[in-house]
Amino acid sequence: MVIDFLSNLSPIMQALLATLFTWLVTALGAGIVFFFNDVDRRLLDSMLGFAAGVMIAASFWSLLAPAIEISENLGVPGWIPAVIGFLMGGIFLRFVDMVLPHLHPALANSEPEGIKTKWQRSVLLVLAVTLHNFPEGLAVGVAFGAAAVNISSASIAGAVALALGIGLQNFPEGAAVSIPLKREGLSSRKSFAYGQMSGVVEPIAGVMGAAGVYYMRPILPYALAFAAGAMIFVVGEELIPEANSEGNSHLATTGLMLGFAVMMFLDVSLG
Protein backbone atom coordinates (compact mmCIF):
# COMPACT_ATOMS: atom_id res chain seq x y z
CA MET A 1 0.00 0.00 0.00
CA VAL A 2 2.79 2.43 0.91
CA ILE A 3 4.74 1.53 -2.23
CA ASP A 4 1.63 1.98 -4.41
CA PHE A 5 1.05 5.39 -2.86
CA LEU A 6 4.65 6.49 -3.39
CA SER A 7 4.61 5.23 -6.99
CA ASN A 8 2.21 8.02 -7.90
CA LEU A 9 4.54 10.74 -6.61
CA SER A 10 7.64 12.35 -8.06
CA PRO A 11 11.03 11.11 -6.80
CA ILE A 12 11.55 14.40 -4.99
CA MET A 13 8.26 14.08 -3.09
CA GLN A 14 9.03 10.42 -2.37
CA ALA A 15 12.38 11.39 -0.90
CA LEU A 16 10.81 14.17 1.17
CA LEU A 17 8.21 11.88 2.72
CA ALA A 18 10.75 9.12 3.37
CA THR A 19 13.23 11.44 5.08
CA LEU A 20 10.46 13.08 7.11
CA PHE A 21 9.83 9.55 8.40
CA THR A 22 13.51 9.10 9.33
CA TRP A 23 13.42 12.49 11.05
CA LEU A 24 10.33 11.40 12.99
CA VAL A 25 12.12 8.28 14.21
CA THR A 26 15.03 10.47 15.35
CA ALA A 27 12.52 12.53 17.32
CA LEU A 28 11.05 9.36 18.88
CA GLY A 29 14.54 8.33 19.98
CA ALA A 30 15.17 11.78 21.42
CA GLY A 31 11.86 11.46 23.30
CA ILE A 32 13.40 8.82 25.57
CA VAL A 33 14.71 11.74 27.58
CA PHE A 34 11.19 12.28 29.00
CA PHE A 35 11.29 8.82 30.60
CA PHE A 36 14.95 8.12 31.40
CA ASN A 37 17.81 10.21 32.69
CA ASP A 38 20.48 7.90 31.33
CA VAL A 39 21.01 4.92 29.03
CA ASP A 40 23.12 1.91 30.01
CA ARG A 41 26.44 2.18 28.20
CA ARG A 42 26.28 -1.45 27.07
CA LEU A 43 22.91 -0.82 25.42
CA LEU A 44 24.20 2.36 23.79
CA ASP A 45 27.25 0.58 22.37
CA SER A 46 25.04 -2.22 21.05
CA MET A 47 22.81 0.37 19.35
CA LEU A 48 25.80 2.16 17.86
CA GLY A 49 27.02 -1.16 16.48
CA PHE A 50 23.54 -1.83 15.07
CA ALA A 51 23.57 1.55 13.34
CA ALA A 52 26.98 0.76 11.84
CA GLY A 53 25.73 -2.58 10.51
CA VAL A 54 22.68 -0.99 8.89
CA MET A 55 24.82 1.64 7.19
CA ILE A 56 27.38 -0.88 5.88
CA ALA A 57 24.69 -3.13 4.40
CA ALA A 58 22.79 -0.19 2.91
CA SER A 59 25.95 1.16 1.34
CA PHE A 60 26.27 -1.94 -0.83
CA TRP A 61 22.77 -3.20 -1.58
CA SER A 62 21.00 0.16 -1.83
CA LEU A 63 23.79 2.32 -3.26
CA LEU A 64 26.90 0.69 -4.72
CA ALA A 65 25.16 -2.21 -6.50
CA PRO A 66 22.73 0.10 -8.35
CA ALA A 67 25.60 2.50 -9.14
CA ILE A 68 27.57 -0.30 -10.81
CA GLU A 69 24.56 -1.54 -12.79
CA ILE A 70 23.58 1.94 -13.98
CA SER A 71 27.15 2.61 -15.12
CA GLU A 72 27.28 -0.61 -17.11
CA ASN A 73 23.92 0.18 -18.72
CA LEU A 74 25.41 3.52 -19.82
CA GLY A 75 28.38 1.73 -21.37
CA VAL A 76 30.80 2.84 -18.65
CA PRO A 77 32.93 0.31 -16.71
CA GLY A 78 30.98 -0.19 -13.50
CA TRP A 79 33.95 0.29 -11.21
CA ILE A 80 34.81 3.81 -12.42
CA PRO A 81 31.84 5.80 -11.03
CA ALA A 82 31.66 3.47 -8.02
CA VAL A 83 35.27 4.03 -7.00
CA ILE A 84 35.36 7.74 -7.81
CA GLY A 85 32.04 8.52 -6.13
CA PHE A 86 32.83 6.36 -3.10
CA LEU A 87 36.17 8.06 -2.46
CA MET A 88 34.74 11.53 -3.05
CA GLY A 89 32.04 10.83 -0.45
CA GLY A 90 34.70 9.97 2.11
CA ILE A 91 36.84 12.97 1.19
CA PHE A 92 33.85 15.31 1.48
CA LEU A 93 32.92 14.01 4.94
CA ARG A 94 36.54 14.23 6.06
CA PHE A 95 36.63 17.88 5.00
CA VAL A 96 33.36 18.63 6.83
CA ASP A 97 34.66 16.74 9.87
CA MET A 98 37.75 18.95 9.93
CA VAL A 99 35.81 22.20 9.53
CA LEU A 100 32.47 21.78 11.32
CA PRO A 101 32.77 22.27 15.11
CA HIS A 102 31.29 19.22 16.88
CA LEU A 103 31.54 17.07 19.99
CA HIS A 104 30.91 13.32 20.01
CA PRO A 105 28.12 12.56 22.51
CA ALA A 106 29.09 8.92 23.10
CA LEU A 107 32.66 9.77 24.17
CA ALA A 108 32.58 11.00 27.75
CA ASN A 109 35.97 12.75 27.67
CA SER A 110 36.00 13.86 24.04
CA GLU A 111 37.31 17.26 23.02
CA PRO A 112 35.56 19.49 20.46
CA GLU A 113 36.70 18.86 16.88
CA GLY A 114 36.70 21.13 13.85
CA ILE A 115 37.54 24.82 13.86
CA LYS A 116 37.84 26.52 17.24
CA THR A 117 34.61 28.04 18.49
CA LYS A 118 32.94 29.34 21.63
CA TRP A 119 29.68 27.61 20.86
CA GLN A 120 28.00 25.82 23.75
CA ARG A 121 28.57 22.10 24.28
CA SER A 122 24.89 21.44 23.54
CA VAL A 123 25.26 22.90 20.06
CA LEU A 124 28.44 20.91 19.44
CA LEU A 125 26.73 17.68 20.51
CA VAL A 126 23.87 18.28 18.06
CA LEU A 127 26.27 19.09 15.22
CA ALA A 128 28.09 15.77 15.71
CA VAL A 129 24.95 13.74 15.01
CA THR A 130 23.87 16.16 12.29
CA LEU A 131 27.14 15.26 10.56
CA HIS A 132 26.02 11.59 10.71
CA ASN A 133 22.56 12.33 9.39
CA PHE A 134 23.48 14.26 6.25
CA PRO A 135 24.81 11.26 4.29
CA GLU A 136 21.88 9.17 5.51
CA GLY A 137 19.34 11.65 4.12
CA LEU A 138 21.37 11.96 0.94
CA ALA A 139 21.40 8.18 0.54
CA VAL A 140 17.61 7.95 0.81
CA GLY A 141 17.19 10.79 -1.68
CA VAL A 142 19.45 9.35 -4.36
CA ALA A 143 17.88 5.90 -3.83
CA PHE A 144 14.47 7.29 -4.80
CA GLY A 145 16.09 9.15 -7.68
CA ALA A 146 17.64 5.88 -8.87
CA ALA A 147 14.27 4.14 -8.65
CA ALA A 148 12.98 6.51 -11.33
CA VAL A 149 15.52 5.14 -13.81
CA ASN A 150 13.98 1.65 -14.38
CA ILE A 151 16.87 -0.67 -13.55
CA SER A 152 16.55 -4.00 -11.81
CA SER A 153 18.76 -3.18 -8.81
CA ALA A 154 16.98 0.10 -7.95
CA SER A 155 13.28 0.25 -7.12
CA ILE A 156 10.86 2.18 -4.97
CA ALA A 157 10.59 -0.87 -2.73
CA GLY A 158 14.36 -0.89 -2.31
CA ALA A 159 14.37 2.83 -1.51
CA VAL A 160 11.61 2.25 1.05
CA ALA A 161 13.70 -0.54 2.58
CA LEU A 162 16.63 1.86 2.86
CA ALA A 163 14.44 4.48 4.54
CA LEU A 164 13.18 1.85 7.01
CA GLY A 165 16.74 0.77 7.80
CA ILE A 166 17.94 4.33 8.27
CA GLY A 167 14.90 5.02 10.43
CA LEU A 168 15.65 2.03 12.67
CA GLN A 169 19.18 3.21 13.35
CA ASN A 170 18.06 6.84 13.81
CA PHE A 171 16.21 5.90 16.99
CA PRO A 172 19.38 5.30 19.02
CA GLU A 173 20.99 8.35 17.40
CA GLY A 174 18.21 10.58 18.71
CA ALA A 175 18.68 9.13 22.19
CA ALA A 176 22.47 9.51 21.89
CA VAL A 177 21.96 13.27 21.60
CA SER A 178 19.14 13.99 24.04
CA ILE A 179 20.40 11.88 26.98
CA PRO A 180 23.89 13.50 27.12
CA LEU A 181 22.27 16.92 26.85
CA LYS A 182 20.13 16.17 29.88
CA ARG A 183 23.26 15.10 31.74
CA GLU A 184 24.73 18.47 30.77
CA GLY A 185 21.96 20.13 32.78
CA LEU A 186 19.38 20.94 30.12
CA SER A 187 15.69 20.33 30.78
CA SER A 188 13.94 17.33 29.25
CA ARG A 189 12.08 19.59 26.83
CA LYS A 190 15.22 21.35 25.61
CA SER A 191 17.14 18.08 25.38
CA PHE A 192 14.35 16.62 23.22
CA ALA A 193 14.24 19.73 21.03
CA TYR A 194 17.98 19.57 20.36
CA GLY A 195 17.88 15.81 19.86
CA GLN A 196 15.20 15.88 17.18
CA MET A 197 16.84 18.90 15.58
CA SER A 198 19.82 16.74 14.63
CA GLY A 199 17.56 14.93 12.16
CA VAL A 200 16.29 18.06 10.39
CA VAL A 201 19.14 17.83 7.90
CA GLU A 202 17.86 14.50 6.56
CA PRO A 203 14.82 15.87 4.64
CA ILE A 204 17.02 18.66 3.28
CA ALA A 205 19.71 16.23 2.12
CA GLY A 206 17.08 13.81 0.80
CA VAL A 207 15.42 16.40 -1.41
CA MET A 208 18.82 17.63 -2.62
CA GLY A 209 19.87 14.10 -3.54
CA ALA A 210 16.63 13.19 -5.32
CA ALA A 211 16.49 16.49 -7.22
CA GLY A 212 20.14 16.25 -8.25
CA VAL A 213 19.90 12.79 -9.77
CA TYR A 214 16.42 13.39 -11.23
CA TYR A 215 17.44 16.45 -13.19
CA MET A 216 21.03 15.38 -13.91
CA ARG A 217 20.77 11.64 -14.50
CA PRO A 218 24.35 11.15 -15.77
CA ILE A 219 25.59 11.87 -12.24
CA LEU A 220 23.34 9.19 -10.72
CA PRO A 221 25.95 6.41 -10.34
CA TYR A 222 28.43 8.90 -8.88
CA ALA A 223 25.79 10.24 -6.47
CA LEU A 224 24.88 6.74 -5.27
CA ALA A 225 28.53 5.85 -4.70
CA PHE A 226 29.15 9.26 -3.06
CA ALA A 227 26.40 8.58 -0.51
CA ALA A 228 27.86 5.13 0.15
CA GLY A 229 31.34 6.54 0.72
CA ALA A 230 30.00 9.21 3.07
CA MET A 231 28.14 6.61 5.14
CA ILE A 232 31.13 4.26 5.35
CA PHE A 233 33.26 7.20 6.47
CA VAL A 234 30.85 7.84 9.34
CA VAL A 235 30.93 4.14 10.27
CA GLY A 236 34.73 3.89 10.27
CA GLU A 237 35.50 7.32 11.69
CA GLU A 238 32.88 7.56 14.40
CA LEU A 239 30.35 4.78 14.99
CA ILE A 240 32.69 1.80 15.40
CA PRO A 241 35.33 3.67 17.47
CA GLU A 242 32.63 5.11 19.74
CA ALA A 243 30.93 1.72 20.14
CA ASN A 244 34.23 0.15 21.21
CA SER A 245 35.52 2.98 23.40
CA GLU A 246 34.18 1.61 26.72
CA GLY A 247 35.29 -2.01 26.34
CA ASN A 248 31.99 -3.37 25.06
CA SER A 249 33.42 -4.59 21.77
CA HIS A 250 31.58 -7.94 21.82
CA LEU A 251 28.22 -6.24 22.29
CA ALA A 252 29.06 -3.65 19.64
CA THR A 253 30.07 -6.37 17.17
CA THR A 254 26.89 -8.32 17.90
CA GLY A 255 24.89 -5.17 17.25
CA LEU A 256 26.76 -4.61 14.00
CA MET A 257 26.02 -8.15 12.81
CA LEU A 258 22.33 -7.78 13.67
CA GLY A 259 22.12 -4.38 11.98
CA PHE A 260 23.75 -5.72 8.83
CA ALA A 261 21.39 -8.73 8.80
CA VAL A 262 18.28 -6.58 9.32
CA MET A 263 19.23 -4.17 6.53
CA MET A 264 20.15 -7.06 4.22
CA PHE A 265 16.79 -8.68 4.91
CA LEU A 266 14.89 -5.46 4.26
CA ASP A 267 16.72 -4.67 1.06
CA VAL A 268 16.65 -8.17 -0.44
CA SER A 269 13.08 -9.00 0.60
CA LEU A 270 11.54 -5.64 -0.32
CA GLY A 271 13.91 -4.51 -3.07
Side-chain angles (χ1 to χ4, degrees), residues 58-84:
S59 295
F60 176 72
W61 271 283
S62 297
L63 300 170
L64 287 174
I68 292 170
E69 182 178 344
I70 293 170
S71 301
E72 292 173 345
N73 289 343
L74 294 173
V76 178
W79 64 269
I80 294 178
V83 171
I84 293 175

Side-chain angles (χ1 to χ4, degrees), residues 97-104 111-115 124 237-238:
D97 190 64
M98 292 171 59
V99 174
L100 182 69
H102 61 283
L103 183 65
H104 298 290
E111 294 293 329
E113 297 181 6
I115 60 175
L124 297 178
E237 174 76 6
E238 301 183 21

Side-chain angles (χ1 to χ4, degrees), residues 53-146:
V54 167
M55 293 175 73
I56 292 172
S59 295
F60 176 72
W61 271 283
S62 297
L63 300 170
L64 287 174
I68 292 170
E69 182 178 344
I70 293 170
S71 301
E72 292 173 345
N73 289 343
L74 294 173
V76 178
W79 64 269
I80 294 178
V83 171
I84 293 175
F86 184 84
L87 293 177
M88 290 303 297
I91 291 170
F92 173 76
L93 256 291
R94 174 56 181 158
F95 173 76
V96 175
D97 190 64
M98 292 171 59
V99 174
L100 182 69
H102 61 283
L103 183 65
H104 298 290
L107 297 178
N109 299 317
S110 64
E111 294 293 329
E113 297 181 6
I115 60 175
K116 300 297 182 181
T117 179
K118 295 183 179 179
W119 292 349
Q120 295 180 350
R121 285 176 57 86
S122 58
V123 175
L124 297 178
L125 288 167
V126 173
L127 287 177
V129 180
T130 300
L131 180 61
H132 292 185
N133 287 340
F134 180 84
E136 295 167 10
L138 183 66
V140 173
V142 296
F144 278 103

Side-chain angles (χ1 to χ4, degrees), residues 3 6 53 63 76 114 137 189 192:
I3 295 173
L6 291 173
L63 300 170
V76 178
R189 183 173 298 180
F192 167 75

Side-chain angles (χ1 to χ4, degrees), residues 19-20 23 26 130 133 193 195-206:
T19 47
L20 285 174
W23 177 20
T26 303
T130 300
N133 287 340
Q196 63 83 29
M197 194 180 300
S198 66
V200 172
V201 70
E202 291 197 7
I204 297 172

